[in-house]
Amino acid sequence: MKRRGFIQKTALSAGAITLGSGAAFAARKKEVSKKHNFNLKYAPHIGMFKHHVGENPIDQLNFMADQGFTAFEDNLMRKRDVALQEKMANTMQKRALEMGVFVAVFLKEGNVASGDVKSREAFLNYCKESVEVAKRVNAKWMTVVPGNVAKKVRGAYQTANVIETLKQASAIFEPHDLTMVLEPLNFYNHPGAFLTESPQAYEICKAVDSPSCKILFDIYHQQIQEGNLIPNMDACWDEIAYIQIGDNPGRKEPTTGEINYNNVLKFIHGKGYQGILGMEHGNSKPNKEGEQAVIDAYKKVDNFM
């Protein structure tokens, strides 16, 4: 081959490589640009995006981060294998995902309104166990539910029993700068629950008087139980440490029900809230389509600036 032809051919090949690299770079840039910058810290949970990446929790965490989510919550973290907890914690640290709540004491585990000594001891043991889990996964908040009403105990005595239990639980959490968040539950999904309304939770937190005992305001539960969402949140704002989301009816993603999430989230942002908003709801549609619908819904309601 003549030298001139060789140079021309080499130049064309180099140009093709350059163009190919440029196209690849553009594709990667486009892929990165899909990551959304949310105004608030919305926290998906395990299983919410499993149709995109499979059942592996680590893959799901990476997918969440790729979409722009900056937090994650997992009700079942306390019950997961220690090795998995550590792997999830390492992934969250690498991907800058802040850990939200896990459940320290479930509804059926927390029957302390009666004043029964054994029930209180069990409740406190779950709290002690949760301290180690929280350290392992870098959690700051744990959900606590004080169980069902005690049918044969007067209401004021029940409240006093719950307050005393929570004072003892606070003494467990305070040295570790951890916060249990009390979650009022609605009458429809959880008939018979002791803690049902935000004013009730507010009264209890004021009585316990500890930085380790605050309110988890679940918007879905309180829309059913009491409505008047923004005024009620405002009234007990100084005791709210965590918020969860779900539309009603159906407990699916925002925009699928009656709650005006644009206004509610605008209020929360306006209060200077720096905490996490757990996405504790199901998907309104199945498969990948439903998972994408969740992502799109949060982009839509987060657009309140």
Side-chain angles (χ1 to χ4, degrees):
M1 180 184 292
K2 292 183 180 180
R3 186 171 182 272
R4 183 178 178 182
F6 174 79
I7 292 172
Q8 289 176 338
K9 186 174 182 179
T10 302
L12 288 171
S13 299
I17 292 171
T18 302
L19 288 171
S21 300
F25 175 76
R28 287 196 300 271
K29 186 175 181 181
K30 184 178 181 181
E31 187 70 25
V32 171
S33 68
K34 291 181 180 179
K35 186 174 182 177
H36 188 76
N37 292 319
F38 291 103
N39 293 302
L40 293 167
K41 298 177 184 177
Y42 305 110
H45 56 80
I46 292 296
M48 184 163 271
F49 303 121
K50 65 182 180 181
H51 292 288
H52 273 83
V53 292
E55 298 285 351
N56 189 305
I58 306 304
D59 293 338
Q60 292 187 43
L61 288 172
N62 281 315
F63 181 83
M64 293 171 196
D66 289 342
Q67 302 308 307
F69 294 108
T70 56
F72 160 76
E73 70 174 22
D74 182 16
N75 283 344
L76 297 177
M77 184 66 84
R78 194 196 85 199
K79 298 185 176 183
R80 295 194 188 278
D81 182 77
V82 171
L84 179 57
Q85 291 175 2
E86 292 174 343
K87 288 180 181 178
M88 293 172 73
N90 289 335
T91 302
M92 285 186 280
Q93 184 175 19
K94 290 177 182 177
R95 298 306 309 270
L97 285 169
E98 189 173 355
M99 181 66 202
V101 292
F102 65 89
V103 178
V105 184
F106 288 87
L107 179 62
K108 293 181 180 180
E109 298 172 337
N111 290 312
V112 296
S114 67
D116 178 69
V117 174
K118 290 185 178 180
S119 295
R120 178 175 290 169
E121 289 176 352
F123 185 101
L124 296 174
N125 284 334
Y126 286 125
C127 292
K128 292 173 184 176
E129 179 184 340
S130 296
V131 169
E132 297 307 311
V133 177
K135 290 180 179 179
R136 200 173 293 128
V137 300
N138 299 313
K140 300 176 183 177
W141 309 275
M142 289 141 291
T143 305
V144 164
V145 182
N148 289 319
V149 296
K151 295 181 180 179
K152 296 183 179 182
V153 181
R154 298 290 292 271
Y157 290 125
Q158 292 188 59
T159 299
N161 291 333
V162 169
I163 290 170
E164 178 56 33
T165 300
L166 295 176
K167 283 184 176 180
Q168 294 184 35
S170 294
I172 294 170
F173 291 127
E174 281 180 11
H176 307 283
D177 293 323
L178 299 174
T179 302
M180 59 179 167
V181 284
L182 311 181
E183 182 178 16
L185 304 173
N186 77 73
F187 74 95
Y188 181 77
N189 296 112
H190 302 283
F194 169 80
L195 187 62
T196 58
E197 297 181 352
S198 56
Q200 181 190 13
Y202 187 79
E203 178 184 26
I204 290 171
C205 286
K206 287 299 182 186
V208 174
D209 191 25
S210 168
S212 289
C213 183
K214 297 295 179 181
I215 298 172
L216 188 169
F217 195 102
D218 187 308
I219 296 171
Y220 165 75
H221 284 305
Q222 294 317 305
Q223 172 68 0
I224 294 173
Q225 187 67 31
E226 60 191 18
N228 204 30
L229 291 170
I230 291 176
N232 278 325
M233 292 181 77
D234 196 38
C236 62
W237 186 259
D238 61 312
E239 294 293 339
I240 294 175
Y242 200 93
I243 297 170
Q244 287 182 327
I245 291 173
D247 215 336
N248 181 62
R251 200 171 190 175
K252 306 301 183 185
E253 70 269 15
T255 73
T256 58
E258 65 187 358
I259 301 175
N260 187 335
Y261 265 105
N262 280 107
N263 281 351
V264 173
L265 294 174
K266 183 178 181 179
F267 163 78
I268 292 170
H269 186 269
K271 295 290 285 187
Y273 183 69
Q274 299 296 313
I276 291 172
L277 297 98
M279 297 159 58
E280 196 179 50
H281 56 74
N283 299 357
S284 63
K285 300 176 183 178
N287 304 320
K288 285 187 176 182
E289 179 187 2
E291 296 174 356
Q292 187 60 51
V294 169
I295 297 169
D296 293 341
Y298 276 88
K299 290 178 181 179
K300 183 177 181 179
V301 298
D302 187 66
N303 187 27
F304 50 74
M305 300 297 286

